[in-house]
Amino acid sequence: MGFHAQLERSWTASNSLLCVGLDPDPARFPALLDGAPDAIYRFCVAIVDATADLVCAFKPQIAYFASQRAEEPLERICTYIREQYPDVTLVLDAKRGDIGSTAEHYAREAFGRYGAHAVTVNPYLGTDSALPYFEHEGGVIALCRTSNPGGDDLQNLDCGGEPLFVRTARMVAEQWSQHGECGLVVGATYPGELERVRGVVGDLPILVPGIGAQGGDPAAAVKAGARDDGRGLMISSSRAVLYASNGDDFAEAARRTAIESRLATLPAGW
Ligand SMILES: O=C(O)c1cc(=O)[nH]c(=O)n1[C@@H]1O[C@H](COP(=O)(O)O)[C@@H](O)[C@H]1O
């Protein structure tokens, strides 16, 4: 099943726009996992089991695993999500971007090694850098207007009468989408920009990080970015869910935060 069909299935099954990001930081793990064997896998699986019925997507961030030499646990976590929770969309947050011959390997990593339904990519190497991803079934989610303040440095530069992030959205919607299934990243911290991107990209899915630890307003993100049918967004939170408690109750606390975040991102009428 392609990325877009999978995500529609996830929205239907979960009635949720919430995505939980898996950014495991052992320094913030509860004491019961301190120095425990396979701690990253166990932590992530506990979070996945505690929140899977509340989310449309999980989004592991690859740097958190690679920096801990934990790519192999990441593979097992991805397999676990795919097998145990087939209704949930798996987005690998990798933000890769390189010339085509190298991008072929990034694509194989995301879709072959990790079995992701979609992967985040950096679009600044242009259309040919994205083509290798479209040789696979998975989707490509391009950074458009990132959630951090420094995103302005380049993404808001004037680009022939429109900001670069709008040009990026147009390039993805009009050019990349001819080759395969796409989405965009726009931070919840910039609802005005999110509304502008929705106006350019039609029904394409938008990944919206920045609620929770980064302070973005969930309701404003839904208002600005949801499609007319209330769908269209994966609104992502990592640290606020993962580290809701650093005690033995971390999974229950994560679930409570996920319940609140799901409610806060529920479109009117759902
Ligand atoms: O692509 C992303 O997921 C992403 C894009 C962006 O503009 N901002 C952003 O925060 N992210 C990722 O989303 C997650 C946000 O984490 P929290 O701030 O803890 O919810 C991190 O893994 C970031 O790498």
Side-chain angles (χ1 to χ4, degrees):
M1 188 185 299
F3 167 47
H4 289 169
Q6 170 66 32
L7 191 50
E8 294 293 340
R9 169 185 174 175
S10 300
W11 285 318
T12 301
S14 65
N15 262 321
S16 176
L17 298 181
L18 181 65
C19 164
V20 165
L22 300 175
D23 297 8
D25 177 359
R28 300 188 68 179
F29 282 1
L32 89 163
L33 287 175
D34 205 13
D38 218 11
I40 289 183
Y41 177 82
R42 287 166 58 187
F43 177 79
C44 289
V45 163
I47 296 289
V48 164
D49 286 339
T51 60
D53 61 320
L54 303 169
V55 303
C56 63
F58 286 118
K59 181 180 72 71
Q61 212 306 323
I62 199 165
Y64 279 84
F65 295 86
S67 66
Q68 303 289 328
R69 296 190 170 83
E71 290 96 336
E72 187 274 333
L74 174 57
E75 273 182 51
R76 283 187 284 125
I77 291 161
C78 291
T79 302
Y80 184 82
I81 293 169
R82 293 281 308 239
E83 288 179 353
Q84 299 300 315
Y85 302 107
D87 285 341
V88 179
T89 295
L90 178 62
V91 175
L92 182 72
D93 182 12
K95 298 189 185 68
R96 307 297 200 197
D98 212 316
I99 62 168
S101 52
T102 304
E104 271 178 42
H105 294 272
Y106 284 140
R108 223 177 288 163
E109 174 190 50
F111 302 128
R113 182 174 185 189
Y114 295 114
H117 295 115
V119 61
T120 59
V121 305
N122 185 325
Y124 290 119
L125 275 82
T127 302
D128 65 294
S129 76
L131 295 180
Y133 294 94
F134 299 126
E135 300 296 317
H136 300 253
E137 195 177 38
V140 171
I141 305 177
L143 298 177
C144 180
R145 200 321 173 187
T146 55
S147 62
N148 58 317
D152 268 345
D153 293 348
L154 296 174
Q155 295 157 24
N156 252 321
L157 289 179
D158 178 69
C159 186
E162 61 185 8
L164 179 56
F165 77 87
V166 173
R167 174 65 68 90
T168 304
R170 213 180 288 290
M171 173 183 77
V172 171
E174 292 173 7
Q175 294 171 39
W176 291 23
S177 286
Q178 290 181 20
H179 301 281
E181 298 192 5
C182 298
L184 294 116
V185 177
V186 181
T189 39
Y190 295 96
E193 280 90 336
L194 178 55
E195 190 171 1
R196 203 149 168 207
V197 170
R198 174 57 73 205
V200 168
V201 303
D203 280 350
L204 286 188
I206 304 178
L207 172 65
V208 185
I211 64 161
Q214 296 179 55
D217 176 353
V222 174
K223 190 161 183 283
R227 301 186 318 216
D228 291 344
D229 64 0
R231 300 180 175 198
L233 302 177
M234 293 175 277
I235 304 182
S236 192
S237 179
S238 304
R239 287 166 293 178
V241 173
L242 302 179
Y243 310 114
S245 161
N246 63 0
D248 292 359
D249 65 339
F250 73 97
E252 292 84 357
R255 179 170 179 80
R256 279 195 298 276
T257 304
I259 288 171
E260 286 164 17
S261 304
R262 175 181 171 275
L263 282 177
T265 52
L266 218 48
W270 273 35

